Amino acid sequence: MKPTLLVLAAGMGSRYGGVKQIDAVGQHGECLLDFACYDAKRAGYGKVVFIIRKDIEADFRTRLFDRVAKNFDAEYVFQNKDSLFTEEEKKLIGGREKPWGTTHAVLCAEKAINTPFAVINSDDYYGREAFQNLGNYLSSVSNDSGDHAMVGYVLGNTMSRNGSVSRGVCTVADEKLVSIVENLKIYYEGDKIISEIDGGKKEMTGKEWVSMNLFGFTPKAFEHFNLSWEEFKKANITEPKKECLLPVSASEIIQQNKGIIKFFTSSETWFGMTYPEDRELVKQEIANKIKAGYYPENLWEN
């Protein structure tokens, strides 16, 4: 069974200042997501599903989707601010504009998923090896299995000099995830890596394993995600900025003994589109990989 690639592409891009998920960085107008889809197809994934906002649909189709869909089985679904709410609950949302988080996004795609699936962000570069290792694993598990997976990265390889990043710091034992603690603000202070958490500052070594939202789940995980979402709504439906985050929901699978998450690792150096200043760096990194023969100059046939 070929796994599915699920792409979280409905973010607002508030720090980037635009729709970064469809910003061109390749030599022929390709987006960062073109390269993720190319790597996933080469690694044996059978389909890609994008989660987007309705207001970017036209640009998304023109600048990314129609090109990818000529080469890869592809579809997209919408994450709206009132998705997965009852009519009574919608009255409590008010004027909230911020998306409800990555667990909510994954649930918006539930009906489009019928195989084990990998989840990625739209603005991060993950590397071909990560797709291959995770894809091989997902191809070996059944839809009703409680055995899930993720790929962890070295914190020092995932930092930006242009501002703070959000990372889930992982505890690992026997090649399995034990827990993830979301650190929402990690940044350089000189040559030191600092995390602001629990009202204080903590110096990091840079060698910690962190989550970049590259998870692999079987469809059975939706059972837990739906329960997690319902609990989140009860506690936070009137909050204007709270988000139901996938690393938190994934960690709950372990804490509640609902399954395991096998931990794969990658030594790949991250680059991504968090800040406007990142775009030129990403373009240069992609150009270097094309020059080295890692990617062809013309990524897709059409």
Side-chain angles (χ1 to χ4, degrees):
M1 186 184 303
K2 291 186 176 182
T4 298
L5 178 65
L6 182 60
V7 181
L8 308 176
M12 300 292 287
S14 55
R15 289 180 292 183
Y16 187 78
V19 189
K20 58 186 175 180
Q21 51 268 53
I22 51 176
D23 210 351
V25 295
Q27 295 182 357
H28 299 281
E30 298 94 346
C31 310
L32 193 55
L33 275 176
D34 277 286
F35 296 92
C37 292
Y38 180 86
D39 284 341
K41 185 182 180 185
R42 281 196 48 167
Y45 291 72
K47 176 183 177 182
V48 57
V49 178
F50 300 94
I51 305 165
I52 67 169
R53 305 192 315 270
K54 180 67 176 177
D55 63 292
I56 70 168
E57 181 182 14
D59 285 342
F60 171 75
R61 289 195 66 106
T62 300
R63 297 166 65 178
L64 174 71
F65 181 80
D66 290 346
R67 177 173 60 247
V68 172
K70 290 178 181 178
N71 296 274
F72 199 2
D73 184 8
E75 68 175 289
Y76 59 88
V77 299
F78 297 115
Q79 180 188 18
N80 301 313
K81 70 172 185 178
D82 58 355
S83 299
L84 309 182
F85 288 94
T86 66
E87 291 303 317
E88 286 300 312
E89 289 170 340
K90 289 176 185 178
K91 297 175 183 177
L92 301 174
I93 295 175
R96 179 184 174 115
E97 294 299 327
K98 190 176 181 66
W100 287 96
T102 43
T103 298
H104 178 254
V106 169
L107 285 171
C108 288
E110 182 175 3
K111 292 181 180 179
I113 302 292
N114 54 24
T115 70
F117 61 101
V119 182
I120 66 169
N121 294 333
S122 62
D123 56 346
D124 292 316
Y125 181 83
Y126 292 96
R128 190 171 298 161
E129 181 186 19
F131 284 111
Q132 188 71 63
N133 289 339
L134 193 56
N136 289 344
Y137 181 79
L138 293 173
S139 297
S140 73
V141 293
S142 64
N143 279 1
D144 60 355
S145 172
D147 293 351
H148 311 291
M150 68 169 291
V151 179
Y153 291 76
V154 179
L155 174 60
N157 289 344
T158 73
M159 297 293 295
S160 172
R161 286 286 182 179
N162 294 319
S164 67
V165 297
S166 175
R167 301 286 183 257
V169 179
C170 302
T171 301
V172 182
D174 299 323
E175 299 183 341
K176 295 182 180 68
L177 181 70
V178 175
S179 66
I180 303 177
V181 177
E182 278 295 286
N183 286 231
L184 299 178
K185 190 174 183 180
I186 305 178
Y187 54 90
Y188 279 110
E189 196 172 82
D191 289 329
K192 295 180 179 180
I193 298 177
I194 303 295
S195 173
E196 291 188 12
I197 189 169
D198 297 330
K201 289 185 177 183
K202 177 183 177 181
E203 184 175 351
M204 311 294 281
T205 67
K207 298 179 180 179
E208 294 85 356
W209 289 112
V210 296
S211 163
M212 296 292 296
N213 260 8
L214 179 48
F215 288 99
F217 298 108
T218 70
K220 187 173 179 60
F222 284 116
E223 296 175 10
H224 170 70
F225 294 155
N226 277 293
L227 292 173
S228 181
W229 170 243
E230 290 302 318
E231 289 300 314
F232 175 86
K233 283 195 297 184
K234 289 177 184 177
N236 300 288
I237 195 168
T238 60
E239 294 288 338
K241 295 184 178 180
K242 291 280 188 178
E243 295 182 72
C244 190
L245 299 174
L246 190 59
V248 175
S249 298
S251 192
E252 290 171 354
I253 289 176
I254 302 162
Q255 295 164 3
Q256 298 172 16
N257 295 315
K258 293 183 176 179
I260 67 164
I261 297 180
K262 183 172 175 59
F263 195 85
F264 293 96
T265 62
S266 174
S267 59
E268 186 82 38
T269 297
W270 168 89
F271 54 89
M273 308 275 281
T274 306
Y275 297 94
E277 297 85 356
D278 293 332
R279 184 170 182 264
E280 289 306 312
L281 173 62
V282 170
K283 288 178 68 176
Q284 187 59 55
E285 291 284 354
I286 292 296
N288 290 343
K289 288 182 178 295
I290 292 171
K291 185 176 180 180
Y294 192 84
Y295 293 113
E297 184 176 341
N298 292 298
L299 196 63
W300 300 113
E301 294 180 4
N302 298 308

